[in-house]
Amino acid sequence: MKKMLLIVVLFTMSQIIHAQDAKMNAFIASLMSKMTVEEKIGQLNLLTPGWGIPTGSVVSTDVESKIKAGKVGGLFGVIGAEKVKQAQDIAVQQSRLKIPLLFGSDVIHGHKTTFPIPLGISCTWDTALIRQTAILAANEATADGLNWAFSPMVDIARDPRWGRVAEGSGEDPFLGSQIARAMVKGYQGNDLADKRTLLACVKHFALYGASEAGRDYNSVDMSRNRMYNEYLPPYKAAVDAGVATIMSSFNDVDGVPASGNKWLLTDLLRKDWKFNGMIVSDYTSVNEMSNHRLGDLQAVSALAIKAGLDMDMVGEGFLSTLKKSLQEKKISMADIDRACRKVLEAKYKVGLFADPYRYIDAERASKEILTPENRMMARKVATQSFVLLKNEKQTLPLKKTQRVALIGPLANDKSNMLGTWAVSGDPQMSIPVLQGVQSKTSSSTYIAYAKGSNITDDTALAKRANVFGLRVDIDKRSPDAMLEEALAIAKSSDVVVAVVGEASEMSGEAASRADITLPAAEQKLLKALYATGKPVVVVIMSGRPLVLTGSIEGAAAVLQVWHAGIEAGNAIADVLYGDVNPSGKLSMSMPYHVGQIPVYYSQKTTGRPQDLNNKFSSRYLDIPNEPLFPFGYGLSYASFEYTDLKLSANTIGREGAIKATIQLTNTSKVDGAEVVQLYIEDKVRSITPPSKELKGFQKVVLKAGESKMIEFTITNEMLKFWSAALQYDSESGEFAVHVGGNSRDLKAAGFVLK
Ligand code: NOJ
């Protein structure tokens, strides 16, 4: 009966969608029949007039006259009801066909209410919460005139030297795919025409996270095996979740830059994956194909449109050359029509033809942006994103009566709290840690503050980090004078809290680092603080997993807080004082040494002996193979015990399923949450498998002393992979199941797939 009902509902829904599509197609066909070639090409042009924050080195010119002439399809970097209205007025009042503009922006981790950086958000492992962040960001962004978010960024990243690891969800395809889906659903909701939802844009298609040596914009070269099994899944998950737009990446894929790669954009994306939305280039990535040595602007623009790209971001290669290419028969009218239709469909879907002013509502902006509720949400998400790396002798949580010396260049800082890619956020609205700590404690409690050191004393690095405003403020005092002040307050405290790390612009786009340890100035400060003999709690802010070897051995506790967003200080104080028990888990391994990179949990076994004492095993002479902290790792103020892993059967058929159960007990006196992780290891395979792969996780809340049976269902679907011939299937044989609280400390059981 239930099944019948479901079939009827699905059938009715598909009929409705069919009718809606037919209506849209008819509308667009009629509009396109009125358009000149120039107007069609104009729709493919995405500009940024530089009225906002530039996000690249080129800024568009003559934007107003181009809009009037029908030579612009959309704008980005124009934010706020008033500015958006000005631009939309020109399009719908002064251009011949009155086609409204799309308005996009890098809404990456919140709009004005800035959440933690995406890498931090991913450490919550809480997809429902992540979806909420996207819903809230869409609500604020649409209240500010926008209808297109250049997010989510789902590039798998295993090289923390790459600054853009800050923007993604880490190293794992399974976790990355769950988050990609949650974000797309959050931004787009159930109805794109709703004034509170917007077009999501999954990026950067594809493989941008695998740039050689972690240097931004660098080449990528990858086997199809790795691509299909490890790097493509999150993009595919976003497509399956219905993402409306996709951004092509800067890098090459198999020797052809993504923006001109027909195999990638058409064969894989449109034909295999059935993506039917719009594809936009990244910032001048079409033009950059000339630097990649694929020909002059006309040649690369033709290559891009023929490859399947629809919209050209900022470079204007389409605008300036496509007509000539058409006349010279290098491209066809069908190429231009396809791209134009895709852009118009995106506009139609967000309801701009019904009402070009749908997203322009100054009253909404004043009521719905940066509300206290939104800030509370940012605070909650931040507390969930922190990863407790170390906590000796229960140093944390602090007691509210303890005398605290709060020390460090990031301890009373506003300008770095938002993190990278917070284009609409105002750092001045953020809460510094000192303020958060002060509001937790009574005014009679000793809370002393000293800067202690600069983030870095390296003036060249500081200059690079200060491109969007002062982030690294090199003090007028000498390093010795700052240190002396810090040591004096440390000595009269019960506990030192040292807040160190990276400035926000030391990660993000064009912010790769070769040395990813803490800057020397901060290391020196930490060593001096350890030498006082006081317990030192190190709070680390960073846009990437840093190499902490050598910097935290003397610490009593270490809390990794990433760049935590607008409520950073309050959220950090919530966790330091135990009002919130930390439960974040690393979504990216933290290397022991930069020389191990890439280091990730699913690394394949080699053919060599697993016994590392064997001379001929695969190992380094000078460092361990393991990261300092593995993927999935994170402590709590509670402690959890895993016992009694059981499988409901030892064999599984292709259609069947088995249950894995494990008893999880909170063995402590405090309530807490634990992310239970399920990994599967394929023991025999026709191609070398990852050592193990995350296939499931559950975030479980347990009261002090409470015990719960956790259950996972294992199906054949979870055992499939892309074979050497790129067939997606499983292979019979032995598998191991591993369950635990991180990718290293696990209980194991086994079964056979028949
Ligand atoms: C370049 C970045 O790679 C991309 O992520 C961003 O969306 C665009 N610039 C627009 O700012």
Side-chain angles (χ1 to χ4, degrees), residues 205-520:
F205 195 63
L207 320 181
Y208 184 34
S211 61
E212 276 180 12
R215 179 155 57 80
D216 206 3
Y217 316 119
N218 208 358
S219 288
V220 171
D221 198 358
M222 188 184 289
S223 68
R224 289 282 154 101
N225 173 346
R226 169 157 281 178
M227 202 187 284
Y228 274 72
N229 284 307
E230 300 173 35
Y231 279 73
L232 293 179
Y235 308 107
K236 171 76 162 55
V239 170
D240 291 344
V243 73
T245 74
I246 289 199
M247 189 185 293
S248 63
S249 56
F250 289 119
N251 56 281
D252 54 343
V253 172
D254 250 341
V256 183
S259 301
N261 192 317
K262 181 165 179 302
W263 172 77
L264 189 70
L265 303 186
T266 297
D267 299 347
L268 181 70
L269 184 57
R270 290 211 191 275
K271 292 192 181 146
D272 287 1
W273 293 4
K274 313 266 180 286
F275 173 69
N276 67 4
M278 178 181 90
I279 310 176
V280 62
S281 78
D282 202 345
Y283 212 109
T284 59
S285 68
V286 172
N287 314 51
E288 288 175 22
M289 287 198 278
S290 294
N291 290 344
H292 281 289
R293 307 195 186 175
L294 269 85
D296 63 13
L297 187 59
Q298 185 185 351
V300 295
S301 301
L303 185 71
I305 196 158
K306 289 193 82 63
L309 192 85
D310 302 316
M311 204 172 200
D312 176 10
M313 188 192 290
V314 182
E316 302 192 79
F318 278 10
L319 191 77
S320 58
T321 70
L322 285 189
K323 190 165 173 211
K324 185 158 180 266
S325 291
L326 182 68
Q327 285 158 352
E328 293 169 0
K329 300 204 166 21
K330 289 181 174 139
I331 63 168
S332 67
M333 199 56 220
D335 293 322
I336 296 175
D337 279 346
R338 180 218 69 229
C340 177
R341 189 173 307 114
K342 290 293 158 198
V343 175
L344 296 176
E345 281 176 8
K347 295 183 177 187
Y348 187 96
K349 287 178 194 161
V350 284
L352 287 175
F353 288 112
D355 177 9
Y357 297 98
R358 173 160 302 191
Y359 302 89
I360 302 168
D361 180 346
E363 204 184 307
R364 248 191 88 199
S366 68
K367 284 194 187 140
E368 296 180 23
I369 294 178
L370 270 175
T371 60
E373 297 76 34
N374 291 3
R375 293 193 68 129
M376 278 310 288
M377 174 74 175
R379 180 169 176 171
K380 176 176 173 192
V381 176
T383 61
Q384 302 299 301
S385 72
F386 302 160
V387 183
L388 183 64
L389 297 175
K390 183 175 179 185
N391 192 18
E392 280 175 358
K393 297 187 200 141
Q394 297 185 325
T395 307
L396 288 177
L398 302 175
K399 289 169 205 69
K400 291 187 179 158
T401 49
Q402 270 173 314
R403 297 162 61 81
V404 175
L406 185 64
I407 295 171
L410 289 158
N412 189 22
D413 171 284
K414 283 189 171 196
S415 54
N416 291 289
M417 296 304 99
L418 301 187
T420 187
W421 277 118
V423 296
S424 296
D426 175 1
Q428 286 319 309
M429 303 288 285
S430 66
I431 309 287
V433 182
L434 177 59
Q435 189 182 329
V437 166
Q438 279 167 338
S439 54
K440 277 282 169 215
T441 48
S442 88
S443 53
S444 60
T445 311
Y446 175 93
I447 305 286
Y449 158 75
K451 185 171 171 186
S453 77
N454 296 311
I455 294 176
T456 173
D457 296 331
D458 177 345
T459 48
L461 179 59
K463 196 169 161 212
R464 293 210 160 119
N466 288 341
V467 279
F468 299 132
L470 193 62
R471 303 286 186 261
V472 178
D473 185 8
I474 298 198
D475 213 275
K476 293 195 181 57
R477 291 170 296 170
S478 71
D480 283 348
M482 279 192 279
L483 187 59
E484 205 178 305
E485 180 194 27
L487 292 177
I489 65 160
K491 280 174 192 149
S492 36
S493 70
D494 300 324
V495 59
V496 175
V497 175
V499 190
V500 294
E502 297 182 306
S504 54
E505 295 308 325
M506 281 163 73
S507 65
E509 188 175 351
S512 294
R513 291 178 67 204
D515 176 356
I516 54 168
T517 54
L518 286 171

Side-chain angles (χ1 to χ4, degrees), residues 55 76 106 150 164 203-204 247 250 282-283 421 509:
T55 57
F76 71 101
D106 288 288
F150 300 152
R164 301 196 80 170
K203 67 189 189 185
H204 307 80
M247 189 185 293
F250 289 119
D282 202 345
Y283 212 109
W421 277 118
E509 188 175 351

Side-chain angles (χ1 to χ4, degrees), residues 17-187:
I17 292 169
H18 200 74
Q20 280 170 348
D21 281 356
K23 216 170 140 198
M24 174 174 82
N25 293 344
F27 175 86
I28 289 173
S30 146
L31 176 58
M32 282 178 62
S33 70
K34 297 181 202 121
M35 293 171 81
T36 62
V37 177
E38 289 82 356
E39 282 166 335
K40 287 178 180 173
I41 295 173
Q43 285 303 305
L44 318 185
N45 197 25
L46 175 63
L47 296 183
T48 187
W51 303 342
I53 294 174
T55 57
S57 58
V58 183
V59 172
S60 317
T61 52
D62 297 330
V63 176
E64 224 176 290
S65 57
K66 283 178 188 152
I67 300 174
K68 277 185 204 160
K71 290 182 174 170
V72 183
L75 295 177
F76 71 101
V78 177
I79 297 167
E82 201 183 318
K83 284 187 188 158
V84 170
K85 182 168 183 306
Q86 272 171 24
Q88 196 68 300
D89 277 345
I90 305 171
V92 298
Q93 290 168 16
Q94 300 185 49
S95 73
R96 188 180 79 91
L97 288 171
K98 309 187 180 348
I99 300 176
L101 298 167
L102 279 175
F103 289 89
S105 178
D106 288 288
V107 179
I108 307 293
H109 45 117
H111 179 57
K112 290 199 170 136
T113 301
T114 313
F115 293 110
I117 54 168
L119 185 65
I121 295 185
S122 70
C123 292
T124 66
W125 293 55
D126 185 338
T127 49
L129 189 69
I130 293 172
R131 185 172 175 157
Q132 287 301 321
T133 69
I135 292 174
L136 195 149
N139 194 40
E140 284 200 355
T142 52
D144 234 355
L146 302 170
N147 38 47
W148 189 15
F150 300 152
S151 171
M153 190 276 224
V154 304
D155 306 317
I156 292 295
R158 294 174 172 178
D159 190 332
R161 293 172 298 182
W162 189 48
R164 301 196 80 170
V165 302
E167 286 175 65
S169 297
E171 71 184 46
D172 183 63
F174 181 80
L175 179 62
S177 298
Q178 306 292 316
I179 294 177
R181 189 172 303 123
M183 298 283 293
V184 169
K185 296 269 186 206
Y187 285 133

